[in-house]
Amino acid sequence: MPKALVIGAGIGGIASALRLRKKGYNVTVVESNDYAGGKLHAIDLNGYRFDLGPSLFTMPHFIDELFELFNKTPTDYFNYHRKQTICNYFWEDGHTFSANANLDTFVTEASYSFNEPSENIKKYLDLNKKKYDLTASLFLEKSLHKASTYLSKQTITSILHIASLDIDNNLNKTNESHFKNSKLIQLFNRYATYNGSSPYKTPGIMSMIPHLEMHYGTFFPKGGMHQISQSLYQLALDEGIVFNFNENIEKIHVKNKKATGATSSTSEYAADVVVTNMDVYPTYKKLLQDHPEPKKTLAQERSSSALIFYWGIDREFPNLDLHNILFSDSYTEEFAHIFDKKTLYQDPTVYINITSKESSTDAPMGHENWFVMINAPGNYGQDWEALKHKARTDIIAKVNRVIKTDIEKHITAEHILDPAGIENATSSYRGALYGAASNNKFAAFLRHPNFSRQIKNLYFCGGSVHPGGGIPLCLLSAKIVEDLVPNIKKHA
Ligand SMILES: Cc1cc2nc3c(=O)[nH]c(=O)nc-3n(C[C@H](O)[C@H](O)[C@H](O)COP(=O)(O)OP(=O)(O)OC[C@H]3O[C@@H](n4cnc5c(N)ncnc54)[C@H](O)[C@@H]3O)c2cc1C
C-alpha cells in the first residue's frame, strides 16, 4: 500500500490524513507536540475548562462529512447545537445589540436598533449572499492554481459579475456605501477579523463572511471546540492512521524533483506522498532549505495574531452570552495600531467567549470561564511582557466601564497566551492566526497553492495556504489536497 506522510496534526493535517486514508494510503502523521489538534487545543485550570484557540464554530457539515466518508454516524463521535444568538454587542455609550440567528428577526431588530431602513439591511445581506454564491466554488473549493479551475462555467459567471463583488473597494467603504449608522458599519467591519485582516484594507468582497455566519448559522460543539480535533483524531485512530507525537520533522527528502519522505528528530520516513500541515513559511525556511522558495508568497503580510486572557470568574453575568464583543471607540486607530504600528491600542475591541453558558461543567457552579481576546499584531519581537501588562489593565478598565462591574476582584484563575506563545506552540510564522492576511485584492491569488510547483508528490494543507485560515477553510484545503493527490492505481 502506498505511504502518505503528514507533517503536523492540526485540523488540516488530521483532515488530510483521513482523506488520504480513504483513498487507500497507509498514513502516518508526525507531530512535534504531544497532542493532536494544533491551535484547536484546550486546558483545565482550577476547575475551569478553556478552549485555547478557536471559539467560533461555523459550517459543521464539513466535519460531519469526514465521518460520513467512512460510513460512520457523525453523532457517534461529535455533536453540536445551533445558536439562536450569534453575538451580543456592546458600545461605550451604553448601546447594546443582540444579533439574532433568524435573518428576518435580525433585519427587524437591527433596523430598529441602528435606525437604518430594513430594506437597506436586507439588500446588503442579499448582496453578501450573491458574492458568496458567485465565488465560493472558485475561491474556496478548488485549487486557484490549476488551469482547469478557470475553464469552468462558474468561473466565467463570476468574472462576468466582477463589478458587483466590490474587489476595488475596501470592506469599510463597501459597508459605508450601504449604511449611515457608524455602529452598524463597525458591526459589519468586524468580519474582516475573521481572516485576520483590517476592514480598512481587505476588499469589500469579504462582506460575504457575515453571510456564512448568518445563513449557515453558528454552532456550539458538545464538550467545546476541542471536541472538533479530538473527535476527528479518534476517527483517524479508528481508521488505522498512525500518529507519532513529540517528533519534529526537520527535513523533507526530495529525489529527482519528487518528495520521497522526511527526517524527524528521531526517525526517517519513506513516503510516496508528503503533505505538510506546517505553516508554509517555516516549511520552506526549515524543511526545504536546499530548494528555491516562492519569494512573493512568503513575503505576503501576515494575518493578525491575538492576545488572550483565560479567566476563571467567580460569578455569573446574565447579560453576556457565548460570544460577546465590547467595541473600541476608534476602530480606525485600533487597526492602524495592529497592522501599521505593530502594537496594541489602548482602547481595544474586547471579545469575551464564555463556554460555560452552553456547557455548565466548563466552570464551577455559579462561576464562568472567560476567554478574553483582543486582536494583536504578529510577533515582531515586541516586548510582550510589557504589552501584556498594559493590555490587561486596559481590558479590565474597558470591561468595568462597559459591563459596569469590578472584574479584577472576580478573577480566580488566569492563563495568558500571546502571539509569541502561539508561534511557539504551532510554528505559525509570527503567531498569525490565519496565515497571510487578506489586506489586498490579490491576497487570495498569492496564497501558496495546495501543491508544490517544483516538487512532485508534495502537498500543502492548513491555514497558511489556499484557501485560507479558520476551521472550515482548513478542512477545505484537505479536500483540495485529496483531489490533487493521485489515486492509488497510479503508484502501483
Ligand atoms: C486564538 C485563536 C483563535 C482562533 N479563532 C478561530 C475561530 O473562532 N474560528 C475558526 O474557524 N478559526 C479560528 N482560529 C484559526 C484556527 O485555529 C486555525 O485556522 C486552524 O486551527 C489552523 O489549523 P491548521 O491545520 O493550519 O494547523 P495548526 O493548528 O496550525 O497546527 C499545525 C500543527 O503542525 C505541527 N507542526 C508544525 N511544524 C511541525 C514539524 N516540523 N514537525 C511536526 N509537526 C509540526 C504543529 O505543532 C501543529 O500541531 C483561531 C486561532 C487562534 C490561535
Side-chain angles (χ1 to χ4, degrees), residues 321-449:
D321 198 66
L322 173 65
H323 302 291
N324 310 276
I325 294 278
L326 282 50
F327 272 121
S328 169
D329 252 359
S330 177
Y331 230 25
T332 44
E333 273 301 311
E334 183 178 8
F335 283 97
H337 276 69
I338 295 169
F339 286 102
D340 303 332
K341 300 179 184 167
K342 309 272 187 273
T343 190
L344 301 172
Y345 183 47
Q346 45 88 14
D347 175 28
T349 296
V350 177
Y351 167 64
I352 306 173
N353 175 258
I354 311 171
T355 64
S356 59
K357 297 279 184 193
E358 304 293 321
S359 180
S360 59
T361 53
D362 283 357
M365 180 98 83
H367 291 220
E368 292 181 344
N369 62 340
W370 282 28
F371 165 111
V372 182
M373 178 177 124
I374 60 172
N375 291 308
N379 177 27
Y380 290 83
Q382 298 94 322
D383 179 351
W384 286 112
E385 284 314 308
L387 285 173
K388 277 190 290 198
H389 186 73
K390 166 91 172 55
R392 189 178 190 278
T393 307
D394 291 340
I395 291 169
I396 286 174
K398 184 155 188 96
V399 170
N400 290 348
R401 280 195 311 272
V402 177
I403 315 261
K404 309 271 182 274
T405 183
D406 179 2
I407 201 65
E408 190 156 22
K409 73 172 192 217
H410 296 291
I411 301 173
T412 63
E414 181 174 69
H415 177 74
I416 307 174
L417 186 60
D418 63 20
I422 295 171
E423 178 163 24
N424 201 29
T426 57
S427 294
S428 293
Y429 182 47
R430 299 207 187 283
L433 304 193
Y434 306 100
S438 296
N439 278 340
N440 66 67
K441 61 182 174 182
F442 304 110
F445 296 92
L446 287 168
R447 274 187 175 269
H448 196 282

Side-chain angles (χ1 to χ4, degrees), residues 49 95 169 206 486:
R49 192 199 71 83
H95 192 94
N169 261 349
M206 293 302 170

Side-chain angles (χ1 to χ4, degrees), residues 7-13 30-33 37-39 52-56 247-249 277-278 287 306 308 373 422 425-428 433-434 462-463 469-472 474:
I7 304 170
I11 192 75
V30 179
E31 165 59 52
S32 3
N33 290 321
K39 296 185 181 82
L52 279 178
S55 55
L56 175 69
E247 256 190 64
N248 192 46
I249 295 286
N277 180 216
M278 185 187 197
L287 308 193
I308 309 130
M373 178 177 124
I422 295 171
T426 57
S427 294
S428 293
L433 304 193
Y434 306 100
I471 298 163
C474 290

